[in-house]
Amino acid sequence: MKKKALFEVYRQDNKDAGGYFKEYLLVIDDSISVYDALWTIRNELDASLALPYFRCRKGVCGSCLMRINGVQRLACRIPVRKALGEDGVIRVTPPKGRPILKDLITGWGDHDEV
Amino acid sequence: MKYEIIGDFDVIVIGMGGAGLRAAIASHDAGARTAILTMGDNSPTQCGATTTAEYSYSAPLAIADPRDNADVFLDDISKVGLGVNDPQLSALLAEHASSRLLEMRSWGVRFDLKQPGGLLQQNRLAGHSYPRAVHFDYATGREMARGLHRHAVAKGVQVLPYRFALDLVVEDGRSKGVLVLNIARDRLELFTGGAVVLATGGASGIWDLNSNPPGIDGDGMAMALRAGVELVDMEFQQFFPACLVAPPFLRGTNFPFFSRGMLLNSGGEAFLKNYGLDEGRDVRDVLAIAICKEIEAGRGTPNDGVFVDFTRTPREVLKELAQNSKIRYLRDLGFRPLEDQMEIAPSAHFTMGGILIDAAAKTTIPGLYACGEVCGGCHGANRLAGNALAETQVFGNIAGVNAADYANCNSQRDAEPSTDLVATLIEGVFDERGAKDISKAIDDVKRIRVIMDKNVKVIRDEDSLKEAERQLAELAEKEFSFDKPSGNATFDYGKIEALKRRNTILVAKTVVASALCRDESRGAHYRQDCPRCKEEWDYCNVVAKVDPASGEPATYVQQR
Ligand SMILES: Cc1cc2nc3c(=O)[nH]c(=O)nc-3n(C[C@H](O)[C@H](O)[C@H](O)COP(=O)(O)OP(=O)(O)OC[C@H]3O[C@@H](n4cnc5c(N)ncnc54)[C@H](O)[C@@H]3O)c2cc1C
Ligand code: FES
């Protein structure tokens, strides 16, 4: 079913910058995953949004780990339908405890070697 | 144009899948300062197709059946390879798959056991005479990536993440390093070193419907071609018989459970028997061809697939399937994959062809080695399940040892390439004018994938291949230029996709040229205009090379 969803997506320009949220209003098929919805934003609305480039298509790799409305989960494993709060908002932030390199791309601490 | 020179390493491995990790471990153990460059991050979560590999690593350990051994394994490989395999490479795979597996175990890579503390569990898969598939929790590749990555990093292999390899630097007839775009910093880097190992994986991503993770688009093959290296068997692309075609956001997800159910056409008929097949228990090439024939005959689903039906599957089997991690994943997304009929079709999965190597994993260029799916030769016309993961370990080890040996024997001092050559390579990609063609280039890449799907899929013929050739030539005429790296466009994977345009075109053209050259059908290469094996093609390989004058791939036939 097509549904309206307001995505509040965490943005941060680089490792040392401060963070902020950017809003994107989408009318989308609510059966797609939150990860796919983020890619739709990236491909159709805002090419500057940095997302992990990888996906495994089976919910096992962990590349899409994020906090969705505060809960840490695999964004490819949860449909928009289930993630949508009653307010119609999906708030996406990087996973806890990982250094933020840009937007939703996070590193692994000492070994990022960029 | 500015670039950073990095000369701290003896061996540079490009790609961090199973092959690259294994090569780096071997190279490090042989005393070479070793670095891995990879497109993704420094973790096992983004190790190419390896992270996504599901079920099996083939090893003739003879645990489940004492009659198994390397010779029987080699026979099985050769049987489906149909005389296309390089017998030396296949023999190495058969011979060393088991010892490489046991070595991984000793490094902490886990595999399913018959019972806690017991022997390894081995299952029998299509085309294998005996049970050889060793596995872990339906995520065997991810477990290999985890264990190998940990082992490599603990040893002191340096992983350099967010590096996109643009071109190999070859001068005076030998390898002098690699030109790289640092994605995290948006800057150019020139890695100079004694030896380079290409481990960038296959080319399945040049087809629209494919089962691979992003980024597996034949970059290594394209770089090798541009450097004058030969590719072999590029007409042989494996299509996994059953990947989801709907809904759109799950397109390409492979659905191996089809062999536990039945494949039905749009009329509800179990059609495989009409092709003399046994409900999905056959090897992949035969199955893919039968399914595609059924779809082309107009008996497919609206999304150009067929249905998978489990209504006749025994209850115990369904119970077991329900535990499977991918079935659970689909359930999380709101599907009922065992109750509702899912739509599947064959999709690009594994590239049998690739870089021509010898038994030491050497290419024709001194100092340049290759291993894993980027190589051709060891599988031939079709690949058996589980043999790709085994290939990564067997040939990763061989490449790593020999690359380190080369680097140890050849001083790095005179390895630095001329600035003219580097400038030429950079100008081949970036432009001082700073034009921005990113979105147009990405559109082209998508168009190429569709051209390949339409014309160069499971079933091809001269007309469709010629049509692909024409469309690719037309598309290639446009000139593209990209902003030179300025430090601002960090983590711009869109730009990376655009930069892949020239690789995708070159590899697609090479596949088409090779498929046109082989005017017969054999294994995964099915030409409906010449649907049978021809004797004159026995023990023949199509070799492709870029003609330096035209810059286009040209093919010739080599007989063993
Ligand atoms: C869904 C799926 C399931 C599979 N299941 C099995 C199975 O059960 N058993 C089996 O034997 N095989 C299986 N395979 C095949 C097997 O996984 C692969 O053939 C194998 O993992 C390839 O390993 P590799 O190291 O050669 O390449 P990959 O693992 O693909 O690694 C390639 C690496 O190169 C990097 N790279 C690519 N281009 C560049 C560039 N330009 N610059 C820098 N880095 C680059 C990538 O980021 C990646 O790190 C499966 C494949 C898929 C897609
Ligand atoms: S993309 Fe692999 S777990 Fe989500």
Side-chain angles (χ1 to χ4, degrees):
Chain A
M1 206 174 25
K2 288 261 179 202
K3 257 214 188 119
K4 210 193 275 181
L6 181 69
F7 280 80
E8 295 177 357
V9 181
Y10 183 84
R11 305 294 304 263
Q12 181 174 322
D13 291 348
N14 59 57
K15 244 178 16 213
D16 308 312
Y20 59 98
F21 283 89
K22 192 160 176 189
E23 294 185 350
Y24 303 92
L25 189 62
L26 287 182
V27 180
I28 39 163
D29 173 0
D30 70 349
S31 72
I32 73 171
S33 73
V34 171
Y35 200 35
D36 285 287
L38 289 169
W39 275 101
T40 307
I41 294 174
R42 152 80 173 64
N43 292 337
E44 288 169 22
L45 298 177
D46 187 350
S48 76
L49 173 64
L51 293 173
Y53 94 105
F54 201 78
R55 63 163 61 218
C56 61
R57 312 182 197 233
K58 50 175 66 93
V60 301
C61 73
S63 294
C64 64
L65 189 69
M66 296 169 192
R67 270 178 294 165
I68 298 168
N69 290 336
V71 184
Q72 187 125 323
R73 45 196 323 170
L74 297 171
C76 76
R77 264 192 110 123
I78 174 166
V80 167
R81 173 170 33 83
K82 278 197 203 157
L84 265 179
E86 269 172 24
D87 50 359
V89 172
I90 297 181
R91 194 177 171 90
V92 186
T93 35
K96 241 197 185 124
R98 294 252 299 270
I100 297 164
L101 301 178
K102 186 171 185 177
D103 301 341
L104 295 170
I105 297 184
T106 50
W108 296 88
D110 299 339
H111 304 290
D112 297 327
E113 307 293 348
V114 289
Chain B
M1 229 175 270
K2 272 201 327 219
Y3 55 88
E4 195 91 2
I5 299 180
I6 301 170
D8 308 335
F9 303 103
D10 304 318
V11 172
I12 299 148
V13 178
I14 311 174
M16 194 168 69
L21 283 164
R22 188 63 189 82
I25 292 168
S27 160
H28 177 91
D29 284 351
R33 293 170 304 165
T34 307
I36 301 179
L37 309 179
T38 175
M39 268 179 68
D41 66 9
N42 183 3
S43 87
T45 67
Q46 300 184 350
C47 290
T50 301
T51 291
T52 72
E54 265 153 14
Y55 189 61
S56 58
Y57 179 113
S58 299
L61 292 162
I63 292 173
D65 193 315
R67 288 170 299 177
D68 201 10
N69 58 48
D71 293 336
V72 193
F73 189 20
L74 178 58
D75 279 349
D76 289 344
I77 296 170
S78 310
K79 211 177 278 166
V80 297
L82 295 168
V84 177
N85 333 41
D86 176 334
Q88 231 186 337
L89 299 183
S90 305
L92 284 168
L93 177 65
E95 177 81 33
H96 298 291
S98 297
S99 40
R100 295 286 84 87
L101 176 99
L102 298 175
E103 190 176 59
M104 273 196 290
R105 268 196 96 188
S106 75
W107 299 338
V109 177
R110 296 164 295 173
F111 294 98
D112 292 330
L113 306 175
K114 283 196 200 160
Q115 66 262 342
L119 294 169
L120 289 166
Q121 196 187 351
Q122 290 199 282
N123 294 55
R124 181 168 170 191
L125 299 179
H128 289 279
S129 296
Y130 299 111
R132 287 188 189 117
V134 178
H135 40 82
F136 182 74
D137 195 24
Y138 217 73
T140 310
R142 185 191 61 177
E143 173 59 15
M144 279 173 57
R146 185 199 63 78
L148 290 169
H149 176 266
R150 199 165 79 159
H151 187 67
V153 170
K155 275 187 168 246
V157 168
Q158 178 81 251
V159 179
L160 298 167
Y162 314 114
R163 299 310 200 280
F164 177 67
L166 291 161
D167 251 324
L168 300 168
V169 184
V170 173
E171 201 173 34
D172 309 327
R174 64 196 178 91
S175 167
K176 290 198 171 175
V178 51
L179 181 68
V180 168
L181 178 69
N182 181 325
I183 304 169
R185 290 199 179 192
D186 191 30
R187 73 164 185 198
L188 288 170
E189 296 170 345
L190 174 71
F191 284 82
T192 59
V196 170
V197 179
L198 268 172
T200 50
S204 296
I206 70 169
W207 279 267
D208 185 50
L209 183 60
N210 77 77
S211 69
N212 279 231
I216 308 300
D217 313 301
D219 286 348
M221 296 164 188
M223 288 189 277
L225 280 168
R226 281 196 295 271
V229 173
E230 292 179 330
L231 304 193
V232 67
D233 301 340
M234 286 303 285
E235 68 277 31
F236 293 104
Q237 167 71 28
Q238 180 167 81
F239 293 85
F240 193 80
C243 291
L244 302 181
V245 289
F249 76 97
L250 288 180
R251 254 172 83 78
T253 301
N254 68 343
F255 197 71
F257 322 104
F258 72 101
S259 59
R260 316 296 281 275
M262 293 222 289
L263 293 182
L264 306 181
N265 62 19
S266 56
E269 182 194 4
F271 62 90
L272 282 179
K273 59 177 188 307
N274 304 342
Y275 298 87
L277 300 180
D278 168 31
E279 274 317 326
R281 277 161 288 276
D282 298 87
V283 288
R284 293 173 180 173
D285 54 350
V286 215
L287 273 167
I289 293 166
I291 298 168
C292 284
K293 280 187 175 169
E294 191 68 8
I295 298 169
E296 290 207 350
R299 293 186 289 271
T301 65
N303 294 300
D304 281 337
V306 296
F307 295 113
V308 186
D309 181 271
F310 292 102
T311 42
R312 295 229 216 126
T313 305
R315 193 167 291 211
E316 321 82 74
V317 175
L318 286 176
K319 242 191 184 158
E320 181 199 321
L321 284 179
Q323 298 304 313
N324 182 283
S325 61
K326 182 172 282 169
I327 296 286
R328 281 187 281 144
Y329 161 73
L330 292 170
R331 282 201 197 288
D332 281 357
L333 286 171
F335 297 93
R336 303 185 334 138
L338 300 175
E339 296 82 4
D340 301 338
Q341 294 179 338
M342 302 296 276
E343 282 175 66
I344 60 95
S347 85
H349 183 63
F350 179 88
T351 313
M352 268 81 77
I355 296 172
L356 186 70
I357 52 166
D358 65 9
K362 274 205 311 276
T363 68
T364 41
I365 293 178
L368 181 64
Y369 296 78
C371 55
E373 196 178 332
V374 76
C375 297
C378 82
H379 309 291
N382 190 13
R383 168 182 73 85
L384 289 176
N387 285 16
L389 288 179
E391 175 188 22
T392 64
Q393 298 309 292
V394 171
F395 290 97
N397 180 55
I398 295 173
V401 168
N402 290 304
D405 188 47
Y406 178 91
N408 292 340
C409 301
N410 290 271
S411 135
Q412 265 210 52
R413 206 173 300 272
D414 51 333
E416 208 148 289
S418 67
T419 47
D420 281 358
L421 172 65
V422 181
T424 312
L425 291 175
I426 296 174
E427 278 158 22
V429 195
F430 299 105
D431 200 302
E432 293 286 359
R433 285 173 306 160
K436 281 196 198 314
D437 285 335
I438 289 186
S439 63
K440 279 190 231 147
I442 295 176
D443 284 347
D444 269 6
V445 172
K446 288 183 185 148
R447 218 166 292 151
I448 298 165
R449 292 178 180 148
V450 173
I451 294 172
M452 294 302 281
D453 265 21
K454 274 225 169 90
N455 303 292
V456 199
K457 248 194 105 162
V458 177
I459 300 176
R460 324 111 183 233
D461 58 27
E462 189 177 351
D463 290 345
S464 75
L465 293 168
K466 283 262 157 74
E467 179 59 20
E469 192 178 51
R470 192 189 63 73
Q471 290 188 24
L472 288 170
E474 192 181 297
L475 195 135
E477 265 171 23
K478 274 180 281 171
E479 288 217 11
F480 274 78
S481 59
F482 301 102
D483 256 352
K484 62 177 197 278
S486 61
N488 297 324
T490 58
F491 290 106
D492 186 352
Y493 282 100
K495 177 157 140 185
I496 302 300
E497 194 158 333
L499 289 173
K500 280 171 175 273
R501 177 182 176 273
R502 62 180 186 147
N503 294 349
T504 311
I505 292 178
L506 184 55
V507 176
K509 281 182 172 176
T510 306
V511 171
V512 171
S514 307
L516 270 169
C517 181
R518 187 180 282 275
D519 58 353
E520 64 149 2
S521 293
R522 190 180 290 256
H525 173 65
Y526 183 75
R527 288 260 311 245
Q528 62 181 354
D529 51 344
C530 27
R532 267 172 246 301
C533 264
K534 290 183 183 164
E535 215 173 300
E536 70 253 33
W537 274 102
D538 283 352
Y539 306 107
C540 285
N541 296 90
V542 177
V543 182
K545 192 176 177 167
V546 163
D547 170 20
S550 65
E552 296 293 317
T555 57
Y556 67 91
V557 179
Q558 197 170 50
Q559 187 161 25
R560 259 182 282 112

